[in-house]
PDB file of all heavy atoms in Angstrom:
ATOM      1  N   GLU A 680      98.405 106.690 105.965  1.00  0.00           N
ATOM      2  CA  GLU A 680      98.471 107.385 104.674  1.00  0.00           C
ATOM      3  C   GLU A 680      99.893 107.422 104.122  1.00  0.00           C
ATOM      4  O   GLU A 680     100.102 107.370 102.915  1.00  0.00           O
ATOM      5  CB  GLU A 680      97.851 108.787 104.816  1.00  0.00           C
ATOM      6  CG  GLU A 680      96.329 108.661 104.912  1.00  0.00           C
ATOM      7  CD  GLU A 680      95.605 109.853 105.512  1.00  0.00           C
ATOM      8  OE1 GLU A 680      96.264 110.866 105.839  1.00  0.00           O
ATOM      9  OE2 GLU A 680      94.375 109.765 105.655  1.00  0.00           O
ATOM     10  N   ILE A 681     100.886 107.485 105.025  1.00  0.00           N
ATOM     11  CA  ILE A 681     102.280 107.400 104.557  1.00  0.00           C
ATOM     12  C   ILE A 681     102.480 106.049 103.860  1.00  0.00           C
ATOM     13  O   ILE A 681     103.044 105.966 102.761  1.00  0.00           O
ATOM     14  CB  ILE A 681     103.260 107.552 105.745  1.00  0.00           C
ATOM     15  CG1 ILE A 681     103.254 108.990 106.261  1.00  0.00           C
ATOM     16  CG2 ILE A 681     104.679 107.124 105.349  1.00  0.00           C
ATOM     17  CD1 ILE A 681     104.073 109.216 107.537  1.00  0.00           C
ATOM     18  N   PHE A 682     101.971 104.996 104.485  1.00  0.00           N
ATOM     19  CA  PHE A 682     102.167 103.665 103.905  1.00  0.00           C
ATOM     20  C   PHE A 682     101.243 103.398 102.720  1.00  0.00           C
ATOM     21  O   PHE A 682     101.449 102.439 101.974  1.00  0.00           O
ATOM     22  CB  PHE A 682     102.040 102.587 104.988  1.00  0.00           C
ATOM     23  CG  PHE A 682     103.334 102.428 105.734  1.00  0.00           C
ATOM     24  CD1 PHE A 682     103.616 103.214 106.835  1.00  0.00           C
ATOM     25  CD2 PHE A 682     104.304 101.549 105.295  1.00  0.00           C
ATOM     26  CE1 PHE A 682     104.828 103.120 107.498  1.00  0.00           C
ATOM     27  CE2 PHE A 682     105.526 101.440 105.940  1.00  0.00           C
ATOM     28  CZ  PHE A 682     105.786 102.229 107.044  1.00  0.00           C
ATOM     29  N   GLN A 684     101.032 105.372 100.255  1.00  0.00           N
ATOM     30  CA  GLN A 684     101.508 106.130  99.090  1.00  0.00           C
ATOM     31  C   GLN A 684     101.739 105.284  97.841  1.00  0.00           C
ATOM     32  O   GLN A 684     101.385 105.718  96.741  1.00  0.00           O
ATOM     33  CB  GLN A 684     102.751 106.948  99.450  1.00  0.00           C
ATOM     34  CG  GLN A 684     102.327 108.149 100.287  1.00  0.00           C
ATOM     35  CD  GLN A 684     103.477 108.989 100.788  1.00  0.00           C
ATOM     36  OE1 GLN A 684     103.738 110.049 100.263  1.00  0.00           O
ATOM     37  NE2 GLN A 684     104.143 108.524 101.827  1.00  0.00           N
ATOM     38  N   PRO A 685     102.292 104.068  97.980  1.00  0.00           N
ATOM     39  CA  PRO A 685     102.451 103.284  96.750  1.00  0.00           C
ATOM     40  C   PRO A 685     101.105 103.035  96.060  1.00  0.00           C
ATOM     41  O   PRO A 685     100.987 103.147  94.846  1.00  0.00           O
ATOM     42  CB  PRO A 685     103.072 101.969  97.261  1.00  0.00           C
ATOM     43  CG  PRO A 685     103.787 102.374  98.521  1.00  0.00           C
ATOM     44  CD  PRO A 685     102.936 103.434  99.138  1.00  0.00           C
ATOM     45  N   THR A 827     100.412 113.864 103.155  1.00  0.00           N
ATOM     46  CA  THR A 827     101.523 112.968 102.791  1.00  0.00           C
ATOM     47  C   THR A 827     101.259 112.349 101.418  1.00  0.00           C
ATOM     48  O   THR A 827     101.930 112.681 100.442  1.00  0.00           O
ATOM     49  CB  THR A 827     101.703 111.863 103.851  1.00  0.00           C
ATOM     50  OG1 THR A 827     100.441 111.230 104.094  1.00  0.00           O
ATOM     51  CG2 THR A 827     102.271 112.421 105.141  1.00  0.00           C
ATOM     52  N   PHE A 830     100.719 114.823  98.620  1.00  0.00           N
ATOM     53  CA  PHE A 830     101.941 115.447  98.122  1.00  0.00           C
ATOM     54  C   PHE A 830     102.548 114.576  97.011  1.00  0.00           C
ATOM     55  O   PHE A 830     102.845 115.064  95.913  1.00  0.00           O
ATOM     56  CB  PHE A 830     102.940 115.631  99.268  1.00  0.00           C
ATOM     57  CG  PHE A 830     104.285 116.119  98.819  1.00  0.00           C
ATOM     58  CD1 PHE A 830     104.484 117.445  98.480  1.00  0.00           C
ATOM     59  CD2 PHE A 830     105.358 115.241  98.713  1.00  0.00           C
ATOM     60  CE1 PHE A 830     105.730 117.901  98.052  1.00  0.00           C
ATOM     61  CE2 PHE A 830     106.602 115.677  98.292  1.00  0.00           C
ATOM     62  CZ  PHE A 830     106.790 117.016  97.951  1.00  0.00           C
ATOM     63  N   SER A 831     102.739 113.290  97.294  1.00  0.00           N
ATOM     64  CA  SER A 831     103.379 112.413  96.291  1.00  0.00           C
ATOM     65  C   SER A 831     102.587 112.371  94.994  1.00  0.00           C
ATOM     66  O   SER A 831     103.168 112.370  93.906  1.00  0.00           O
ATOM     67  CB  SER A 831     103.492 110.977  96.818  1.00  0.00           C
ATOM     68  OG  SER A 831     104.225 110.975  97.989  1.00  0.00           O
ATOM     69  N   LEU A 866     107.679 102.937  90.127  1.00  0.00           N
ATOM     70  CA  LEU A 866     107.817 103.703  91.360  1.00  0.00           C
ATOM     71  C   LEU A 866     107.028 103.151  92.559  1.00  0.00           C
ATOM     72  O   LEU A 866     107.571 103.094  93.674  1.00  0.00           O
ATOM     73  CB  LEU A 866     107.422 105.154  91.070  1.00  0.00           C
ATOM     74  CG  LEU A 866     107.947 106.224  91.994  1.00  0.00           C
ATOM     75  CD1 LEU A 866     109.439 106.143  92.201  1.00  0.00           C
ATOM     76  CD2 LEU A 866     107.557 107.590  91.433  1.00  0.00           C
ATOM     77  N   PRO A 867     105.751 102.737  92.391  1.00  0.00           N
ATOM     78  CA  PRO A 867     105.019 102.263  93.574  1.00  0.00           C
ATOM     79  C   PRO A 867     105.759 101.149  94.310  1.00  0.00           C
ATOM     80  O   PRO A 867     105.857 101.163  95.539  1.00  0.00           O
ATOM     81  CB  PRO A 867     103.690 101.781  92.990  1.00  0.00           C
ATOM     82  CG  PRO A 867     103.496 102.637  91.770  1.00  0.00           C
ATOM     83  CD  PRO A 867     104.884 102.818  91.205  1.00  0.00           C
ATOM     84  N   THR A 869     109.018 100.560  94.267  1.00  0.00           N
ATOM     85  CA  THR A 869     110.235 101.095  94.886  1.00  0.00           C
ATOM     86  C   THR A 869     109.883 101.842  96.166  1.00  0.00           C
ATOM     87  O   THR A 869     110.590 101.754  97.178  1.00  0.00           O
ATOM     88  CB  THR A 869     110.964 102.042  93.898  1.00  0.00           C
ATOM     89  OG1 THR A 869     110.948 101.447  92.618  1.00  0.00           O
ATOM     90  CG2 THR A 869     112.386 102.313  94.311  1.00  0.00           C
ATOM     91  N   MET A 870     108.782 102.598  96.141  1.00  0.00           N
ATOM     92  CA  MET A 870     108.365 103.330  97.343  1.00  0.00           C
ATOM     93  C   MET A 870     108.016 102.350  98.467  1.00  0.00           C
ATOM     94  O   MET A 870     108.346 102.584  99.633  1.00  0.00           O
ATOM     95  CB  MET A 870     107.167 104.238  97.030  1.00  0.00           C
ATOM     96  CG  MET A 870     107.533 105.410  96.145  1.00  0.00           C
ATOM     97  SD  MET A 870     106.092 106.331  95.599  1.00  0.00           S
ATOM     98  CE  MET A 870     105.755 107.348  97.032  1.00  0.00           C
ATOM     99  N   LYS A 871     107.351 101.273  98.102  1.00  0.00           N
ATOM    100  CA  LYS A 871     107.014 100.244  99.102  1.00  0.00           C
ATOM    101  C   LYS A 871     108.293  99.735  99.764  1.00  0.00           C
ATOM    102  O   LYS A 871     108.372  99.605 100.988  1.00  0.00           O
ATOM    103  CB  LYS A 871     106.323  99.075  98.373  1.00  0.00           C
ATOM    104  CG  LYS A 871     105.053  98.596  99.038  1.00  0.00           C
ATOM    105  CD  LYS A 871     104.482  97.426  98.289  1.00  0.00           C
ATOM    106  CE  LYS A 871     103.174  97.828  97.646  1.00  0.00           C
ATOM    107  NZ  LYS A 871     102.547  96.795  96.834  1.00  0.00           N
ATOM    108  N   ASP A 872     109.316  99.458  98.934  1.00  0.00           N
ATOM    109  CA  ASP A 872     110.580  98.934  99.470  1.00  0.00           C
ATOM    110  C   ASP A 872     111.229  99.955 100.403  1.00  0.00           C
ATOM    111  O   ASP A 872     111.760  99.601 101.450  1.00  0.00           O
ATOM    112  CB  ASP A 872     111.558  98.598  98.328  1.00  0.00           C
ATOM    113  CG  ASP A 872     111.011  97.495  97.438  1.00  0.00           C
ATOM    114  OD1 ASP A 872     110.095  96.771  97.884  1.00  0.00           O
ATOM    115  OD2 ASP A 872     111.485  97.365  96.289  1.00  0.00           O
ATOM    116  N   VAL A 873     111.204 101.233 100.004  1.00  0.00           N
ATOM    117  CA  VAL A 873     111.838 102.270 100.840  1.00  0.00           C
ATOM    118  C   VAL A 873     111.094 102.384 102.171  1.00  0.00           C
ATOM    119  O   VAL A 873     111.702 102.465 103.245  1.00  0.00           O
ATOM    120  CB  VAL A 873     111.876 103.632 100.103  1.00  0.00           C
ATOM    121  CG1 VAL A 873     112.333 104.744 101.032  1.00  0.00           C
ATOM    122  CG2 VAL A 873     112.801 103.546  98.892  1.00  0.00           C
ATOM    123  N   LEU A 874     109.780 102.354 102.115  1.00  0.00           N
ATOM    124  CA  LEU A 874     109.002 102.490 103.360  1.00  0.00           C
ATOM    125  C   LEU A 874     109.313 101.338 104.310  1.00  0.00           C
ATOM    126  O   LEU A 874     109.573 101.552 105.503  1.00  0.00           O
ATOM    127  CB  LEU A 874     107.502 102.522 103.045  1.00  0.00           C
ATOM    128  CG  LEU A 874     106.990 103.854 102.487  1.00  0.00           C
ATOM    129  CD1 LEU A 874     105.591 103.697 101.897  1.00  0.00           C
ATOM    130  CD2 LEU A 874     106.983 104.927 103.576  1.00  0.00           C
ATOM    131  N   SER A 875     109.292 100.117 103.776  1.00  0.00           N
ATOM    132  CA  SER A 875     109.535  98.998 104.702  1.00  0.00           C
ATOM    133  C   SER A 875     111.004  98.946 105.123  1.00  0.00           C
ATOM    134  O   SER A 875     111.317  98.603 106.252  1.00  0.00           O
ATOM    135  CB  SER A 875     109.065  97.675 104.098  1.00  0.00           C
ATOM    136  OG  SER A 875     109.722  97.491 102.876  1.00  0.00           O
ATOM    137  N   THR A 877     113.139 101.500 105.559  1.00  0.00           N
ATOM    138  CA  THR A 877     113.678 102.595 106.375  1.00  0.00           C
ATOM    139  C   THR A 877     112.871 102.840 107.656  1.00  0.00           C
ATOM    140  O   THR A 877     113.300 103.588 108.520  1.00  0.00           O
ATOM    141  CB  THR A 877     113.723 103.928 105.583  1.00  0.00           C
ATOM    142  OG1 THR A 877     112.396 104.274 105.189  1.00  0.00           O
ATOM    143  CG2 THR A 877     114.607 103.826 104.363  1.00  0.00           C
ATOM    144  N   ARG A 878     111.697 102.223 107.776  1.00  0.00           N
ATOM    145  CA  ARG A 878     110.792 102.549 108.880  1.00  0.00           C
ATOM    146  C   ARG A 878     111.474 102.441 110.253  1.00  0.00           C
ATOM    147  O   ARG A 878     111.439 103.377 111.051  1.00  0.00           O
ATOM    148  CB  ARG A 878     109.580 101.621 108.815  1.00  0.00           C
ATOM    149  CG  ARG A 878     108.605 101.857 109.935  1.00  0.00           C
ATOM    150  CD  ARG A 878     107.426 100.912 109.829  1.00  0.00           C
ATOM    151  NE  ARG A 878     106.420 101.231 110.814  1.00  0.00           N
ATOM    152  CZ  ARG A 878     105.189 100.730 110.815  1.00  0.00           C
ATOM    153  NH1 ARG A 878     104.833  99.893 109.884  1.00  0.00           N
ATOM    154  NH2 ARG A 878     104.331 101.060 111.750  1.00  0.00           N
ATOM    155  N   VAL A 881     114.427 104.945 110.805  1.00  0.00           N
ATOM    156  CA  VAL A 881     113.966 106.324 111.004  1.00  0.00           C
ATOM    157  C   VAL A 881     113.304 106.458 112.382  1.00  0.00           C
ATOM    158  O   VAL A 881     113.485 107.471 113.072  1.00  0.00           O
ATOM    159  CB  VAL A 881     113.024 106.761 109.863  1.00  0.00           C
ATOM    160  CG1 VAL A 881     112.446 108.129 110.140  1.00  0.00           C
ATOM    161  CG2 VAL A 881     113.769 106.771 108.537  1.00  0.00           C
ATOM    162  N   ILE A 905     111.882 119.187  98.864  1.00  0.00           N
ATOM    163  CA  ILE A 905     111.729 118.073  99.818  1.00  0.00           C
ATOM    164  C   ILE A 905     112.259 118.496 101.191  1.00  0.00           C
ATOM    165  O   ILE A 905     111.709 118.123 102.236  1.00  0.00           O
ATOM    166  CB  ILE A 905     112.454 116.799  99.296  1.00  0.00           C
ATOM    167  CG1 ILE A 905     111.885 116.404  97.936  1.00  0.00           C
ATOM    168  CG2 ILE A 905     112.351 115.633 100.281  1.00  0.00           C
ATOM    169  CD1 ILE A 905     110.386 116.223  97.897  1.00  0.00           C
ATOM    170  N   LEU A 946     119.843 116.233 102.190  1.00  0.00           N
ATOM    171  CA  LEU A 946     119.346 115.371 101.107  1.00  0.00           C
ATOM    172  C   LEU A 946     120.382 115.392 100.003  1.00  0.00           C
ATOM    173  O   LEU A 946     120.643 116.451  99.422  1.00  0.00           O
ATOM    174  CB  LEU A 946     118.019 115.925 100.598  1.00  0.00           C
ATOM    175  CG  LEU A 946     116.906 115.816 101.641  1.00  0.00           C
ATOM    176  CD1 LEU A 946     116.015 117.034 101.623  1.00  0.00           C
ATOM    177  CD2 LEU A 946     116.099 114.571 101.408  1.00  0.00           C
ATOM    178  N   ILE A 973     120.559 111.710 103.711  1.00  0.00           N
ATOM    179  CA  ILE A 973     119.566 110.891 102.978  1.00  0.00           C
ATOM    180  C   ILE A 973     120.199 110.718 101.606  1.00  0.00           C
ATOM    181  O   ILE A 973     120.230 111.663 100.802  1.00  0.00           O
ATOM    182  CB  ILE A 973     118.200 111.611 102.846  1.00  0.00           C
ATOM    183  CG1 ILE A 973     117.712 112.177 104.180  1.00  0.00           C
ATOM    184  CG2 ILE A 973     117.169 110.701 102.190  1.00  0.00           C
ATOM    185  CD1 ILE A 973     117.100 111.210 105.129  1.00  0.00           C
ATOM    186  N   VAL A 989     120.478 107.414 105.902  1.00  0.00           N
ATOM    187  CA  VAL A 989     119.292 106.697 105.414  1.00  0.00           C
ATOM    188  C   VAL A 989     119.486 106.546 103.913  1.00  0.00           C
ATOM    189  O   VAL A 989     119.690 107.548 103.209  1.00  0.00           O
ATOM    190  CB  VAL A 989     117.994 107.483 105.710  1.00  0.00           C
ATOM    191  CG1 VAL A 989     116.785 106.698 105.222  1.00  0.00           C
ATOM    192  CG2 VAL A 989     117.876 107.804 107.194  1.00  0.00           C
ATOM    193  N   VAL A 991     118.406 105.358 100.024  1.00  0.00           N
ATOM    194  CA  VAL A 991     117.296 105.079  99.097  1.00  0.00           C
ATOM    195  C   VAL A 991     117.906 104.527  97.801  1.00  0.00           C
ATOM    196  O   VAL A 991     119.058 104.815  97.498  1.00  0.00           O
ATOM    197  CB  VAL A 991     116.455 106.356  98.807  1.00  0.00           C
ATOM    198  CG1 VAL A 991     115.776 106.881 100.051  1.00  0.00           C
ATOM    199  CG2 VAL A 991     117.292 107.447  98.148  1.00  0.00           C
ATOM    200  N   THR A 999     113.737 111.146  92.292  1.00  0.00           N
ATOM    201  CA  THR A 999     114.291 111.107  93.658  1.00  0.00           C
ATOM    202  C   THR A 999     113.338 111.673  94.713  1.00  0.00           C
ATOM    203  O   THR A 999     113.280 111.132  95.823  1.00  0.00           O
ATOM    204  CB  THR A 999     115.649 111.849  93.741  1.00  0.00           C
ATOM    205  OG1 THR A 999     115.470 113.173  93.226  1.00  0.00           O
ATOM    206  CG2 THR A 999     116.727 111.122  92.973  1.00  0.00           C
ATOM    207  N   PRO A1000     112.548 112.753  94.423  1.00  0.00           N
ATOM    208  CA  PRO A1000     111.699 113.298  95.493  1.00  0.00           C
ATOM    209  C   PRO A1000     110.712 112.275  96.054  1.00  0.00           C
ATOM    210  O   PRO A1000     110.393 112.307  97.236  1.00  0.00           O
ATOM    211  CB  PRO A1000     110.927 114.438  94.818  1.00  0.00           C
ATOM    212  CG  PRO A1000     111.687 114.762  93.591  1.00  0.00           C
ATOM    213  CD  PRO A1000     112.398 113.530  93.177  1.00  0.00           C
ATOM    214  N   PHE A1001     110.239 111.372  95.190  1.00  0.00           N
ATOM    215  CA  PHE A1001     109.257 110.385  95.638  1.00  0.00           C
ATOM    216  C   PHE A1001     109.851 109.465  96.705  1.00  0.00           C
ATOM    217  O   PHE A1001     109.137 108.915  97.524  1.00  0.00           O
ATOM    218  CB  PHE A1001     108.790 109.514  94.466  1.00  0.00           C
ATOM    219  CG  PHE A1001     108.042 110.278  93.412  1.00  0.00           C
ATOM    220  CD1 PHE A1001     108.696 110.756  92.285  1.00  0.00           C
ATOM    221  CD2 PHE A1001     106.690 110.528  93.547  1.00  0.00           C
ATOM    222  CE1 PHE A1001     108.012 111.455  91.310  1.00  0.00           C
ATOM    223  CE2 PHE A1001     105.993 111.231  92.582  1.00  0.00           C
ATOM    224  CZ  PHE A1001     106.653 111.701  91.457  1.00  0.00           C
ATOM    225  N   LEU A1002     111.172 109.275  96.659  1.00  0.00           N
ATOM    226  CA  LEU A1002     111.811 108.366  97.619  1.00  0.00           C
ATOM    227  C   LEU A1002     112.332 109.126  98.832  1.00  0.00           C
ATOM    228  O   LEU A1002     112.153 108.688  99.964  1.00  0.00           O
ATOM    229  CB  LEU A1002     112.971 107.614  96.950  1.00  0.00           C
ATOM    230  CG  LEU A1002     112.629 106.831  95.677  1.00  0.00           C
ATOM    231  CD1 LEU A1002     113.825 105.984  95.239  1.00  0.00           C
ATOM    232  CD2 LEU A1002     111.408 105.936  95.872  1.00  0.00           C
ATOM    233  N   THR A1003     112.969 110.296  98.602  1.00  0.00           N
ATOM    234  CA  THR A1003     113.615 110.984  99.727  1.00  0.00           C
ATOM    235  C   THR A1003     112.597 111.596 100.685  1.00  0.00           C
ATOM    236  O   THR A1003     112.889 111.801 101.862  1.00  0.00           O
ATOM    237  CB  THR A1003     114.590 112.072  99.225  1.00  0.00           C
ATOM    238  OG1 THR A1003     113.886 112.922  98.311  1.00  0.00           O
ATOM    239  CG2 THR A1003     115.791 111.469  98.535  1.00  0.00           C
ATOM    240  N   VAL A1004     111.389 111.881 100.194  1.00  0.00           N
ATOM    241  CA  VAL A1004     110.395 112.470 101.107  1.00  0.00           C
ATOM    242  C   VAL A1004     109.910 111.430 102.132  1.00  0.00           C
ATOM    243  O   VAL A1004     109.489 111.799 103.239  1.00  0.00           O
ATOM    244  CB  VAL A1004     109.195 113.063 100.308  1.00  0.00           C
ATOM    245  CG1 VAL A1004     108.244 111.984  99.818  1.00  0.00           C
ATOM    246  CG2 VAL A1004     108.444 114.088 101.141  1.00  0.00           C
ATOM    247  N   LEU A1005     110.009 110.151 101.804  1.00  0.00           N
ATOM    248  CA  LEU A1005     109.413 109.130 102.676  1.00  0.00           C
ATOM    249  C   LEU A1005     110.062 109.090 104.061  1.00  0.00           C
ATOM    250  O   LEU A1005     109.354 109.140 105.084  1.00  0.00           O
ATOM    251  CB  LEU A1005     109.459 107.746 102.005  1.00  0.00           C
ATOM    252  CG  LEU A1005     108.741 107.668 100.649  1.00  0.00           C
ATOM    253  CD1 LEU A1005     108.941 106.296 100.012  1.00  0.00           C
ATOM    254  CD2 LEU A1005     107.249 107.948 100.802  1.00  0.00           C
ATOM    255  N   PRO A1006     111.420 109.013 104.154  1.00  0.00           N
ATOM    256  CA  PRO A1006     111.996 109.006 105.507  1.00  0.00           C
ATOM    257  C   PRO A1006     111.714 110.294 106.279  1.00  0.00           C
ATOM    258  O   PRO A1006     111.607 110.259 107.502  1.00  0.00           O
ATOM    259  CB  PRO A1006     113.504 108.826 105.273  1.00  0.00           C
ATOM    260  CG  PRO A1006     113.729 108.908 103.825  1.00  0.00           C
ATOM    261  CD  PRO A1006     112.423 108.757 103.127  1.00  0.00           C
ATOM    262  N   LEU A1007     111.538 111.423 105.582  1.00  0.00           N
ATOM    263  CA  LEU A1007     111.255 112.680 106.292  1.00  0.00           C
ATOM    264  C   LEU A1007     109.833 112.676 106.851  1.00  0.00           C
ATOM    265  O   LEU A1007     109.587 113.157 107.960  1.00  0.00           O
ATOM    266  CB  LEU A1007     111.478 113.882 105.368  1.00  0.00           C
ATOM    267  CG  LEU A1007     112.873 114.005 104.760  1.00  0.00           C
ATOM    268  CD1 LEU A1007     113.042 115.366 104.097  1.00  0.00           C
ATOM    269  CD2 LEU A1007     113.971 113.799 105.799  1.00  0.00           C
ATOM    270  N   GLN A1008     108.897 112.123 106.087  1.00  0.00           N
ATOM    271  CA  GLN A1008     107.523 111.996 106.612  1.00  0.00           C
ATOM    272  C   GLN A1008     107.526 111.074 107.836  1.00  0.00           C
ATOM    273  O   GLN A1008     106.893 111.368 108.861  1.00  0.00           O
ATOM    274  CB  GLN A1008     106.590 111.404 105.548  1.00  0.00           C
ATOM    275  CG  GLN A1008     106.355 112.299 104.333  1.00  0.00           C
ATOM    276  CD  GLN A1008     105.643 111.561 103.207  1.00  0.00           C
ATOM    277  OE1 GLN A1008     105.634 110.319 103.147  1.00  0.00           O
ATOM    278  NE2 GLN A1008     105.058 112.319 102.288  1.00  0.00           N
ATOM    279  N   LEU A1009     108.257 109.967 107.714  1.00  0.00           N
ATOM    280  CA  LEU A1009     108.306 109.011 108.838  1.00  0.00           C
ATOM    281  C   LEU A1009     108.973 109.651 110.056  1.00  0.00           C
ATOM    282  O   LEU A1009     108.533 109.445 111.194  1.00  0.00           O
ATOM    283  CB  LEU A1009     109.089 107.749 108.431  1.00  0.00           C
ATOM    284  CG  LEU A1009     108.348 106.777 107.498  1.00  0.00           C
ATOM    285  CD1 LEU A1009     109.313 105.706 106.984  1.00  0.00           C
ATOM    286  CD2 LEU A1009     107.164 106.125 108.207  1.00  0.00           C
ATOM    287  N   TYR A1010     110.032 110.433 109.820  1.00  0.00           N
ATOM    288  CA  TYR A1010     110.731 111.075 110.939  1.00  0.00           C
ATOM    289  C   TYR A1010     109.772 112.005 111.692  1.00  0.00           C
ATOM    290  O   TYR A1010     109.654 111.955 112.917  1.00  0.00           O
ATOM    291  CB  TYR A1010     111.944 111.857 110.424  1.00  0.00           C
ATOM    292  CG  TYR A1010     112.734 112.505 111.538  1.00  0.00           C
ATOM    293  CD1 TYR A1010     113.596 111.740 112.334  1.00  0.00           C
ATOM    294  CD2 TYR A1010     112.590 113.855 111.828  1.00  0.00           C
ATOM    295  CE1 TYR A1010     114.299 112.325 113.383  1.00  0.00           C
ATOM    296  CE2 TYR A1010     113.296 114.442 112.868  1.00  0.00           C
ATOM    297  CZ  TYR A1010     114.142 113.671 113.638  1.00  0.00           C
ATOM    298  OH  TYR A1010     114.836 114.238 114.689  1.00  0.00           O
ATOM    299  N   ALA A1011     109.060 112.854 110.941  1.00  0.00           N
ATOM    300  CA  ALA A1011     108.115 113.782 111.582  1.00  0.00           C
ATOM    301  C   ALA A1011     107.073 112.987 112.360  1.00  0.00           C
ATOM    302  O   ALA A1011     106.739 113.319 113.505  1.00  0.00           O
ATOM    303  CB  ALA A1011     107.441 114.651 110.520  1.00  0.00           C
ATOM    304  N   TYR A1012     106.582 111.929 111.732  1.00  0.00           N
ATOM    305  CA  TYR A1012     105.549 111.127 112.401  1.00  0.00           C
ATOM    306  C   TYR A1012     106.062 110.563 113.727  1.00  0.00           C
ATOM    307  O   TYR A1012     105.414 110.698 114.772  1.00  0.00           O
ATOM    308  CB  TYR A1012     105.056 109.983 111.489  1.00  0.00           C
ATOM    309  CG  TYR A1012     104.176 109.050 112.280  1.00  0.00           C
ATOM    310  CD1 TYR A1012     102.863 109.414 112.559  1.00  0.00           C
ATOM    311  CD2 TYR A1012     104.682 107.869 112.838  1.00  0.00           C
ATOM    312  CE1 TYR A1012     102.062 108.614 113.362  1.00  0.00           C
ATOM    313  CE2 TYR A1012     103.892 107.073 113.642  1.00  0.00           C
ATOM    314  CZ  TYR A1012     102.579 107.452 113.894  1.00  0.00           C
ATOM    315  OH  TYR A1012     101.796 106.666 114.718  1.00  0.00           O
TER     316      TYR A1012
END
Side-chain angles (χ1 to χ4, degrees):
E680 286 160 3
I681 289 174
F682 277 88
Q684 285 176 104
T827 51
F830 173 77
S831 302
L866 202 51
T869 317
M870 290 172 81
K871 228 182 247 177
D872 297 341
V873 171
L874 283 166
S875 57
T877 61
R878 179 180 186 168
V881 174
I905 302 306
L946 293 141
I973 311 281
V989 181
V991 296
T999 54
F1001 295 96
L1002 305 188
T1003 52
V1004 77
L1005 302 175
L1007 303 191
Q1008 293 169 340
L1009 285 170
Y1010 182 77
Y1012 171 78

